Amino acid sequence: MPSEKRNITDIINTYSKRLMGFIRKRVSSEADAEDILQDVFYQLIGNTQPIEQLTAWLFRVTRNKITDRQRKMQPDLLDDIFEDDEEDGLAGWAGLLFEGGDNPETEFLRTVFWETLNNALNELPETQKQVFVWNELEDIPFKVIAEHTGETVNTLISRKRYAVLHLRNRLSSLRDELLNY
């Protein structure tokens, strides 16, 4: 075991600088670069399969981690469902739904919104619905969900993306109805 730890330390010392240079060219922040490098080495440490070409394996895993990070940064958040059209003159439409206020009209809009959201969520396959609720509404990170479900992070991201596309479609219909009322 001590020789295995020594071997991993040697690998990290040998490849860290090269991998970090590779990552920095492809991500916008130093913090993201450091996170990706750390994820690569965590995957190396957790790997149980023999690696024939270590350099190729490390760079392939690094590329995959960069791609995963970029996918996560794509606008698949609940906030993006509520993008405001400047033409509407209703900046802050989403804020209207989430901010406090005792206005009966605002309360009615909130009720209609949450009913529509719940109905749209119930139209989704259970796996998509659950991943969306956990990640977006309960703010549980994909890594934690993956550990809990045994699914890969990429699978979870894909499921959430399908859920967001469906919800965006359903909620944009509601928004159009409200704006044209």
Side-chain angles (χ1 to χ4, degrees), residues 12 22 31 101 106 114 150 169:
I12 291 171
F22 179 79
T106 303
W114 287 110
N169 182 42

Side-chain angles (χ1 to χ4, degrees), residues 82-93 175-176 179-180:
F82 304 110
E83 293 174 349
D84 291 316
D85 292 330
E86 293 179 22
E87 298 172 11
D88 296 337
L90 291 178
W93 188 79
R175 182 172 184 227
D176 291 343
L179 293 176
N180 294 322

Side-chain angles (χ1 to χ4, degrees), residues 75-85 93-94 97-98 113 117 120-121 132 136-137 160-161 163-175:
D76 280 345
L77 302 174
L78 185 60
D79 294 342
D80 298 322
I81 294 171
F82 304 110
E83 293 174 349
D84 291 316
D85 292 330
W93 188 79
L97 294 170
F98 298 109
F113 165 77
L117 178 64
L121 282 169
F132 179 85
E136 195 62 43
L137 302 179
K160 181 182 173 188
R161 176 164 173 65
V164 167
L165 292 173
H166 174 73
L167 295 173
R168 185 179 291 152
N169 182 42
R170 288 280 273 117
L171 293 173
S172 69
S173 298
L174 170 66
R175 182 172 184 227

Side-chain angles (χ1 to χ4, degrees), residues 1 5 10 13 17-18 37 41-42 57 70 76 80-81 84 99 104-105 117 126 129 136 140 147 150 154 167:
M1 192 71 151
K5 286 183 180 179
D10 290 342
N13 290 335
K17 190 173 181 179
R18 284 178 59 197
L37 183 64
F41 288 129
Y42 278 144
W57 186 91
Q70 290 167 342
D76 280 345
D80 298 322
I81 294 171
D84 291 316
E99 293 174 1
E105 185 177 347
L117 178 64
E126 188 60 31
K129 174 184 174 180
E136 195 62 43
I140 300 173
E147 291 168 4
N154 285 342
L167 295 173

Side-chain angles (χ1 to χ4, degrees), residues 17-171:
K17 190 173 181 179
R18 284 178 59 197
L19 289 172
M20 186 57 99
F22 179 79
I23 297 166
R24 281 185 182 130
K25 291 177 184 175
R26 290 160 176 81
V27 299
S28 57
S29 79
E30 186 69 18
D32 285 346
E34 290 171 2
D35 287 347
I36 291 169
L37 183 64
Q38 185 176 18
D39 287 346
V40 169
F41 288 129
Y42 278 144
Q43 188 166 337
L44 173 67
I45 291 167
N47 183 52
T48 58
Q49 302 297 318
I51 301 171
E52 291 182 27
Q53 296 180 345
L54 181 62
T55 303
W57 186 91
L58 286 169
F59 278 91
R60 185 175 59 252
V61 169
T62 302
R63 247 188 325 275
N64 291 344
K65 296 289 181 189
I66 292 167
T67 302
D68 291 348
R69 178 69 54 126
Q70 290 167 342
R71 283 185 187 146
K72 286 181 189 178
M73 303 307 277
Q74 289 179 348
D76 280 345
L77 302 174
L78 185 60
D79 294 342
D80 298 322
I81 294 171
F82 304 110
E83 293 174 349
D84 291 316
D85 292 330
E86 293 179 22
E87 298 172 11
D88 296 337
L90 291 178
W93 188 79
L96 179 68
L97 294 170
F98 298 109
E99 293 174 1
D102 295 332
N103 180 334
E105 185 177 347
T106 303
E107 288 299 319
F108 172 74
L109 290 175
R110 277 191 203 115
T111 302
V112 170
F113 165 77
W114 287 110
E115 284 176 3
T116 304
L117 178 64
N118 284 326
N119 290 338
L121 282 169
N122 288 331
E123 296 167 358
L124 291 169
E126 188 60 31
T127 54
Q128 291 176 14
K129 174 184 174 180
Q130 196 60 58
V131 128
F132 179 85
V133 168
W134 281 335
N135 182 253
E136 195 62 43
L137 302 179
E138 296 177 11
D139 203 28
I140 300 173
F142 283 116
K143 278 188 174 181
V144 174
I145 298 170
E147 291 168 4
H148 174 72
T149 62
E151 298 287 349
T152 66
V153 170
N154 285 342
T155 298
L156 298 172
I157 290 170
S158 177
R159 287 179 182 164
K160 181 182 173 188
R161 176 164 173 65
Y162 286 116
V164 167
L165 292 173
H166 174 73
L167 295 173
R168 185 179 291 152
N169 182 42
R170 288 280 273 117
L171 293 173

Side-chain angles (χ1 to χ4, degrees), residues 2-21:
S3 67
E4 185 177 310
K5 286 183 180 179
R6 174 88 175 119
N7 189 22
I8 290 174
T9 302
D10 290 342
I11 292 169
I12 291 171
N13 290 335
T14 302
Y15 287 96
S16 288
K17 190 173 181 179
R18 284 178 59 197
L19 289 172
M20 186 57 99

